[in-house]
Amino acid sequence: MINISSIVQEKFQFLHKFIQSPKDVGSITPSSKYLARAMTRYIPWEYIDSVAELGAGTGAITEYIHAAARPQTRVLLFEKEDSLRKGLAERYPGMGCYSNACQIRNAIQTEGIAQLDAIISGLPFFNFPQQIRDEIINEIMYSLKPGGLFVAFQYSLQMKQQLSEYFDIETIQFVPFNLPPAFVYICRKRG
């Protein structure tokens, strides 16, 4: 049964964080179920031993990861905002929660993971200074196995050129039923 009260509370919490720091949050509302499905649909979950979600927020996409992943799949969540990260840790106690997507390699080392099979990102890359964007992309590249998947949503196509320098972009899916509408990049690390 859907708990309407918690959904409303989640949306207000997200809006409040957006008002406080729009460049870090990137949207006024959590990802829609349509976007969450698009983010997780292309991942071959039966082969995924380890995955990270960057910018997990209130857990809108995390919920779909949790439902799709095998019980033994190691899931790491990265969320900068303290109260959102605390909520994720309470809701998903079996997943490692970390604060800094610029420290993915440190986190996977702490977790005893050599490299990740997939990385899912809801980070608003284009809102970040180029230096931070580059740092995060480098962390993704070094943390992801050759042939691993990087799935990211953005609200424009402005990251296409930078992502294509590091990944093979297999497809870009437009998701109109999200606020704002989003583009999902399905990328593969070159082997």
Side-chain angles (χ1 to χ4, degrees):
M1 186 167 150
I2 297 172
N3 184 341
I4 301 297
S5 174
S6 66
I7 292 171
V8 171
Q9 181 181 1
E10 180 180 286
K11 289 186 184 286
F12 277 119
Q13 181 183 24
F14 207 89
L15 177 61
H16 177 72
K17 297 302 176 189
F18 175 80
I19 291 168
Q20 286 182 324
S21 186
K23 286 195 172 222
D24 289 336
V25 177
S27 175
I28 61 170
T29 185
S31 300
S32 70
K33 65 182 178 182
Y34 305 102
L35 181 56
R37 284 183 196 139
M39 293 289 288
T40 56
R41 164 183 313 136
Y42 292 96
I43 297 175
W45 290 103
E46 65 274 16
Y47 303 111
I48 301 296
D49 294 321
S50 58
V51 62
E53 181 186 5
L54 312 181
T58 58
I61 295 172
T62 313
E63 181 179 334
Y64 284 78
I65 293 170
H66 180 69
R70 296 175 300 152
Q72 67 269 30
T73 300
R74 303 283 301 282
V75 181
L76 306 182
L77 305 175
F78 290 81
E79 176 51 54
K80 181 179 180 179
E81 167 53 49
D82 290 337
S83 64
L84 296 178
R85 191 174 59 256
K86 181 180 176 190
L88 290 166
E90 289 171 1
R91 191 170 166 192
Y92 301 103
M95 299 180 184
C97 290
Y98 295 89
S99 63
N100 192 345
C102 290
Q103 300 292 319
I104 302 170
R105 286 182 286 180
N106 289 343
I108 65 173
Q109 183 177 15
T110 298
E111 295 284 338
I113 299 168
Q115 286 186 300
L116 298 164
D117 296 305
I119 297 176
I120 297 169
S121 175
L123 295 175
F125 280 106
F126 209 73
N127 290 356
F128 300 157
Q130 187 65 48
Q131 179 184 347
I132 299 296
R133 207 180 311 164
D134 292 343
E135 280 183 49
I136 295 171
I137 295 291
N138 283 332
E139 284 293 312
I140 291 166
M141 288 300 296
Y142 286 114
S143 301
L144 196 59
K145 290 179 180 177
L149 284 173
F150 176 56
V151 180
F153 78 82
Q154 298 292 289
Y155 299 119
S156 73
L157 293 173
Q158 293 173 311
M159 283 298 294
K160 185 177 180 181
Q161 182 176 343
Q162 184 170 3
L163 290 176
S164 68
E165 292 172 15
Y166 298 93
F167 301 97
D168 290 327
I169 299 175
E170 295 183 348
T171 189
I172 299 173
Q173 180 184 354
F174 180 63
V175 180
F177 299 113
N178 191 68
L179 186 61
F183 294 91
V184 175
Y185 292 79
I186 312 300
C187 307
R188 190 170 300 276
K189 182 178 174 181
R190 295 182 183 115

